[in-house]
């Protein structure tokens, strides 16, 4: 989904201590689960955005928002997922992730003070 360079960067960032976990992530999540034929990758990306937003995992949300963009998800699709998160999981679950999605989709920048809620 992210390419070989990104996998190498994640492995380096994990270091020796985190390497076993990163190997499991690479093999099982991105290898086995993401390669299953039941869902196209854009749908998987939208599901992951909902899960990471609802479970208050903004760092993982950012990773999957970039993946969603790479997988062809539209800004409108991501916005609709975050509106569902807001309605079913609570507005606080959608506030930061909406800001992150706006950054990823080029609506704002991290340095833009207006981007902060």
């Amino acid at each position: 989904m992210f390419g070989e360079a990104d996998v190498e960067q994640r492995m380096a960032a994990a270091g020796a201590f985190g390497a076993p976990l990163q190997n499991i992530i690479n093999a099982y999540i991105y290898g086995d689960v993401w390669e299953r034929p039941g869902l196209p990758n854009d749908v998987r990306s939208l599901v992951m955005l909902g899960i990471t937003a609802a479970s208050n995992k903004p760092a993982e949300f950012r990773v999957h928002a970039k993946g969603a963009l790479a997988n062809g998800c539209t800004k409108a699709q991501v916005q609709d997922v975050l509106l569902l998160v807001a309605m079913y999981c609570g507005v606080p679950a959608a506030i930061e992730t909406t800001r992150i999605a706006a950054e990823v989709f080029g609506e704002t920048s991290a340095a833009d003070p207006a981007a902060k809620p």
Side-chain angles (χ1 to χ4, degrees):
M1 175 171 64
F2 298 109
E4 191 65 33
D6 192 64
V7 170
E8 289 176 20
Q9 181 182 10
R10 286 174 179 271
M11 289 301 295
F17 186 83
L21 176 60
Q22 194 61 48
N23 282 327
I24 289 169
I25 292 167
N26 292 341
Y28 294 106
I29 296 174
Y30 295 118
D32 292 344
V33 176
W34 275 81
E35 294 301 318
R36 292 178 55 82
L39 294 172
N41 282 345
D42 60 337
V43 173
R44 266 185 234 284
S45 285
L46 294 171
V47 169
M48 289 307 303
L49 292 179
I51 290 169
T52 55
S55 61
N56 193 27
K57 305 287 189 256
E60 289 299 313
F61 180 89
R62 182 179 298 281
V63 169
H64 285 284
K66 291 176 182 177
L69 184 60
N71 283 330
C73 295
T74 67
K75 186 170 35 175
Q77 289 173 317
V78 172
Q79 187 178 50
D80 283 354
V81 166
L82 292 173
L83 288 171
L84 285 166
V85 167
M87 295 299 103
Y88 284 92
C89 302
V91 171
I95 292 173
E96 185 174 4
T97 51
T98 296
R99 182 186 56 77
I100 292 167
E103 281 179 32
V104 169
F105 279 86
E107 294 281 316
T108 63
S109 72
D112 182 359
K116 305 276 187 218

